[in-house]
Structures are given as structure tokens and as C-alpha cells.
């Protein structure tokens, strides 16, 4: 029997079929049908599952469960996508729509950051851990928490919003309305913003050249420029790392987890990120020794694999 | 059978005997023997227990367990008081010292903020709750977390240090060395500091009068002055509430608890604290509705009662 996992994103829908060992038996992806409604997407998910199973040489009878990861907030009962801006979904009962197609197959739904944490738990860097925190740094900041070896979806079931822990309570206004949320300081977007500010101030250097050539710059490129000794990039990266270290230390002091994993595009910087982060955290952490800090392992498959694991996680 | 709980503080040691219903069958207290070592204190605990039991008309044969709450950090194995500044204890194996006296009676040790959270769970505002957070605002900021209906002592067993979550990452240096920990902003000491700064700037008003008369002012008096419309007090209290609201919102966004309880002397302000806090949190919280926010119920007995509950919490 296979478990199907879907990761619905603003540009594409990824799907995997996972075997008993959480291995990927097959995968497939489609562009996200922008502007179409939840019923349309639900039908698409079923068609993708059927095609995925055909690719594995099996029928839909071989499906044990289906899980859906969504980039947004989900109602406490797991039925409704309350708000997923990138999908244009608001109060869409997507689980039920999907369930109507997946007859006799249990369908569950989860936030994509939670799904990524589950993927790390079953197949990645959280394997065998009881308490672990995943922090994904992208356009926003997401996170997933493992507690007692299981996904922690908030004490009331509203989920966890690590990106909306306050890090600078007199700071910049966040999209959520509160001042100085972590998201305003440690998202990849915040690093890019800091870099652009320096370039616009006419600092010159490698970042200005990249922007001149490509019209834009991403977080990994900024880290690269900093590593190569470009002064404006080093300054932007240092400022960013101070905030990221303060956030990481807060997580450690509050949860005392066994391991923290950093995900999202910027985690591709690997040791260039982990080394300066580890040095700062060691000095700042309340406890004698900080926990292990690493980068997430599941990469682009994390959301879909985690969604496939959802059935096993109850 | 009774469970004995001790709350060791820098000025006194409180002890209670708790019955099966977590009711207080007896209580007693002694001044803390400043300057004496852990062995001396351990012997004192035993003597206090014997006297407490005599007062209940029973012998030490009626003791099921003993629990010790300590204002400081405790080693992961629960054996050693690593650092309790107010007691002058550093690396004191107090549990073992006490165990040598309490022959055949299991002795456990816990941080005092954790003990207070346990007391709320068994007898106070956390009764029947699965996920709850206690925040104690005093000289420092302590906290205890209930997860899955049990005390959460950190994923690695180092405890939780809510007061060392960062709230202002470019802010004032905390005693722990990190910049802008919650403790520098939301402790009762932080409120008093803000008030003193205003008085020293010659703002006049009621607070200046109190300080003139008593030589000092406490947090509850400052809240009182603010309630009575004293402008400098209102300004100090407003500044403090902005930080406390940001902290409370962070806790809600990260844990989504069923209830948050505020403890420590300032919680005596009751609605004068809860009303402005609730209004701010409602606007700032990521979720549709914030959780219940209340004041702790167990007051001065919290540490000792929680310590007595320790045996039941495993």
C-alpha cells in the first residue's frame, strides 16, 4: 500500500507516492491552476494520484491514504483552508472536496511547514528525535515543531507561527499587523531588503553588479558575495545573522530542543550559514551548550513527503 | 499518605503537606539559613518535614514523597542545583543530600517556576488543561509550560527559560549576556526601572511622593498610580504593557496554548493588568482569537504545592 502526498504551491502542485519505508515510489508535478477554485484543484489531485499510481504499476486500490500540504492556515478541525494567499484560497473546504473524489481513502490536510517537519521526522534530520524545531526561511518564515516524537500543531490546534514571534517589539510592522515579528527580520526577503538598501545607497560592489546584470539578487547570491569578501554583502549578512541568532537562541531557551533545522532556499548556503550562526548562538544561549543546529535534508520534496506521512502521524 | 513540598527561597523556606486531593493538610516556614551549605539545608528540610507531620498528627511513616522547588537551574538528571544565585548555591547535589535523610521516601527536585506551573495544573487555573503557559514576573521572569497535560521541562531536560526569549534583539544587555531578553523588559524590575527613570528626570507626581516617603516604590504601587491617572506612572505602565503584550503574543503565536497565566507580585493588579493586556493582544495576535489570559491562582503557596505534586507528575 502506498501513501500519496501533495504539496500545493502557488506555482506548482507536487505529488509523491511513499512506500512503507517512507521511500519515494514515484513522483509527479503539475502547474498550479491559477484562478481556479477548490473543487477544480480537488479533482486535479485525484487525477494526479491516479496517474502517479499508474506510473507505479498500480491502481487506486493500492492507495492507503492521501495527505495535502497547503501554504496557509488551516481550520482547527483540519477541514478548511482558511487563508492561503498564494493559492487565492480563502475559507475553502479543500479536504472535503478532495475526500469526495478519494472514496474510501482517508484524506488529511496540513500546513506546508508542518508537513516539512514531518518529512524530516520520518526521513530526514529529525529521525529518532523527540523534540525538534524546523524553521523555514523564505518569502516568509514558517516552522514546524516536533514534541514527544509527534507533530505539535498548537495547544488549541491553530498551528504554530514561529515567524510571528516578536524579535524587535518596537520594529517594522509585519504583514500580520504586529511590530517586529521574526518574519520582518529573518526571512530571505529581509536579507534581500537589507542588501538592496545598501545597493540603493550607492555602495557599489559585487551585489550591484549582479543586480545590474540580472535585475535582481537572491539570498544565496548575497551569502555568496559575503563569502567572497564583498563589504556591502558582508554588512547585510552580518545584520541578518544577528537577528537569526537572536531568534535561534529564543527557540533554544524556550524549547531546549534536541535539534533545530533551517530550511528554505537560504539553507542551501550550508556551512556559510551554520558556522556564523553556531558561533553567535554559543555565546548567547542560556544553557551550557546549545542544541545541534543543522540544515533541513528533505529539500523540495519535504512538503509532499510530509503530507504522505500525515496518515501515520496520528 | 501525604506528599511534602518545599519551596526554597532566598529569604525563607516554605513547606506544605498535601493530601490525596492536592489539598494543603499543613504548612510551615523557616527563614532561609543564609551562608550555610547544601548539607545543612537538606537536614533542615527533613526537620521541617518531621515537624509538619507532627502538626498533622502523623509520623514520617505517613510521607509518600518529598519535592523540592529551587529558584535556579537544575541539572538534567534532577540531582544538582547548578546555579541558584539567591541561595548562594552552585553545583550543589541537594537532591542526594536530602535523600540521605528521607530514607525510603522518594525525593525529587524542580525549578520553582516549573513547580508553580504544576501547582496551577493540579489545583489552580490550569486544572484540566492540556497546554498552558505560566509567566512569573518578578525580579526576573520565570515560566513553566504544560504540554499534553504534563510539565514540559525542555526537550533535552534543561528546563525552559521564557524570560530569555529575545524581545528586542538590539536592546539592553540581559544578565545572561544576550541583548534584549524578555527579562530586561517585562520583569517587575523593568517596570520599576522605567518609573524611576521618569522620577529622576523630575517628572514629579504621585510616584515621586511615594519614593520621597518610603525610599522606594514597587510594581503594584506603580500600577496603582497609573490607575489613579498619574501621568508619569501611566507612561511607564504603557511602555511596560507594550513589551508584555509583545511577549504574550509571541507565546500565543508559538504555542497556541489554551490559557496563559501571569504570576508574580504584579499579577496582584488583576484586571488593571489583564484588561490593557487583553486589548493589546487581541489586536496583535496572529490567530482569529487569542487564548484565555488570566492571573495565577496559587499565590505564595504555588512553589511548595507544586513541589508536593512533583511525585504525581511523573
Amino acid at each position: 500500500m502506498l501513501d500519496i502526498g501533495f504539496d500545493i504551491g502557488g506555482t506548482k502542485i507536487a505529488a509523491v507516492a511513499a512506500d512503507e519505508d517512507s521511500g519515494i515510489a514515484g513522483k509527479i508535478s503539475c502547474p498550479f491552476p491559477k484562478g481556479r477554485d477548490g473543487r477544480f484543484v480537488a479533482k486535479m489531485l485525484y487525477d494526479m494520484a491516479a496517474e502517479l499510481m499508474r506510473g507505479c504499476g498500480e491502481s487506486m486500490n493500492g492507495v492507503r491514504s492521501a495527505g495535502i500540504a497547503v501554504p496557509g492556515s488551516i481550520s482547527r478541525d483540519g477541514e478548511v483552508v482558511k487563508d492561503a494567499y498564494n493559492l487565492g484560497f480563502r475559507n475553502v473546504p479543500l479536504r472535503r472536496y478532495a475526500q469526495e473524489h478519494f472514496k474510501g481513502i482517508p484524506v488529511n490536510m496540513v500546513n506546508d511547514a508542518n508537513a516539512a517537519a514531518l518529512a524530516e521526522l520520518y526521513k530526514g534530520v529529525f529521525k529518532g528525535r523527540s523534540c525538534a524545531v524546523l524553521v523555514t526561511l523564505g518569502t516568509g518564515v514558517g516552522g514546524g515543531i516536533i514534541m514527544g516524537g509527534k507533530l505539535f500543531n498548537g495547544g488549541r490546534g491553530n498551528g504554530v507561527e514561529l515567524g510571528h514571534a516578536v524579535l524587535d517589539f518596537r520594529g517594522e510592522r509585519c504583514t500580520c499587523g504586529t511590530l517586529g515579528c521574526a518574519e520582518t527580520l529573518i526571512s530571505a526577503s529581509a536579507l534581500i531588503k537589507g542588501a538592496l538598501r545598501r545597493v540603493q545607497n550607492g555602495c557599489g560592489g559585487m551585489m550591484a553588479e549582479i543586480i545590474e546584470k540580472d535585475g535582481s539578487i537572491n539570498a544565496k547570491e548575497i551569502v555568496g558575495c559575503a563569502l567572497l569578501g564583498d563589504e556591502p554583502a558582508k554588512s547585510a549578512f552580518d545584520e541578518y545573522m544577528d537577528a537569526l541568532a537572536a531568534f535561534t537562541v529564543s527557540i533554544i531557551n524556550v524549547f531546549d530542543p534536541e535539534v533545530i533545522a533551517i530550511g528554505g532556499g537560504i539553507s542551501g548556503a550550508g556551512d556559510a550559514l551554520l558556522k556564523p550562526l553556531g558561533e553567535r548562538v554559543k555565546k548567547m544561549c542560556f544553557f551550557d551548550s546549545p542544541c545541534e543546529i543543522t540544515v533541513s535534508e528533505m529539500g523540495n520534496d519535504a512538503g509532499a513527503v510530509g503530507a504522505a506521512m500525515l496518515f501515520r502521524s496520528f
Side-chain angles (χ1 to χ4, degrees), chain A:
Chain A
M1 297 292 276
L2 298 172
D3 295 301
I4 308 279
F6 300 98
D7 185 12
I8 309 185
T11 53
K12 66 166 188 172
I13 302 177
V16 304
D19 61 26
E20 280 301 329
D21 298 326
S22 318
I24 297 178
K27 60 177 165 177
I28 187 178
S29 77
C30 290
F32 178 76
K34 272 211 165 68
R36 304 306 295 261
D37 66 5
R39 288 185 186 279
F40 186 92
V41 170
K43 172 76 169 66
M44 249 185 92
L45 297 184
Y46 185 82
D47 292 343
M48 285 177 79
E51 178 153 348
L52 196 49
M53 292 304 284
R54 267 194 300 278
C56 297
E58 300 214 34
S59 78
M60 284 300 284
N61 289 330
V63 178
R64 179 171 65 172
S65 77
I68 308 171
V70 175
S73 53
I74 289 170
S75 63
R76 289 188 207 176
D77 60 8
E79 289 291 322
V80 179
V81 180
K82 285 165 66 182
D83 202 350
Y85 181 81
N86 289 334
L87 311 184
F89 280 13
R90 239 189 119 85
N91 294 320
V92 175
L94 185 63
R95 197 211 68 81
R96 178 162 60 80
Y97 290 162
Q99 188 66 74
E100 285 165 8
H101 294 284
F102 288 85
K103 289 191 178 71
I105 297 167
V107 178
N108 292 294
M109 193 160 68
V110 70
N111 164 276
D112 59 354
N114 275 349
L118 267 185
E120 296 296 340
L121 180 64
Y122 280 89
K123 283 301 273 186
V125 291
F126 293 168
K127 223 172 162 177
R129 302 304 183 110
S130 169
C131 180
V133 179
L134 173 70
V135 183
T136 53
L137 308 172
T139 315
V141 172
I145 298 176
I146 303 299
M147 277 276 181
K150 282 172 177 287
L151 186 67
F152 174 65
N153 194 35
R156 295 185 298 165
N158 284 315
V160 296
E161 292 290 343
L162 291 179
H164 300 280
V166 176
L167 211 49
D168 182 14
F169 81 110
R170 295 187 193 95
E172 192 186 321
R173 194 166 297 278
C174 178
T175 50
C176 79
T178 295
L179 300 183
C181 288
E183 188 155 296
T184 65
L185 291 156
I186 65 165
S187 61
S189 319
L191 174 60
I192 294 167
K193 217 166 147 182
L196 289 179
R197 203 173 55 232
R198 284 165 174 83
V199 170
Q200 279 152 6
N201 286 345
C203 66
M206 295 170 61
M207 299 196 300
E209 283 168 35
I210 291 174
I211 293 168
E212 175 83 14
K213 196 169 136 267
D214 302 343
S216 67
I217 191 164
N218 66 35
K220 230 165 127 181
E221 288 166 333
I222 297 167
V223 180
C225 291
L227 275 180
L228 291 170
D230 181 68
E231 286 300 330
K234 274 165 67 180
S235 150
F237 186 57
D238 266 358
E239 183 181 78
Y240 176 82
M241 289 306 293
D242 286 346
L244 184 59
F247 178 79
T248 307
V249 163
S250 292
I251 295 286
I252 295 176
N253 290 349
V254 168
F255 288 100
D256 182 33
E258 296 164 75
V259 54
I260 293 176
I262 311 281
I266 203 173
S267 68
D271 284 344
L273 184 79
L274 292 179
K275 205 169 156 269
L277 180 60
E279 281 164 6
R280 281 170 169 85
V281 166
K282 198 170 177 209
K283 278 184 211 148
M284 295 163 69
C285 171
F286 190 88
F287 305 119
D288 296 341
S289 64
C291 68
E292 188 185 335
I293 305 173
T294 185
V295 290
S296 64
E297 203 173 271
M298 297 299 294
N300 291 333
D301 292 329
V305 169
M309 297 300 116
L310 201 48
F311 178 72
R312 308 178 193 188
S313 76
F314 287 109

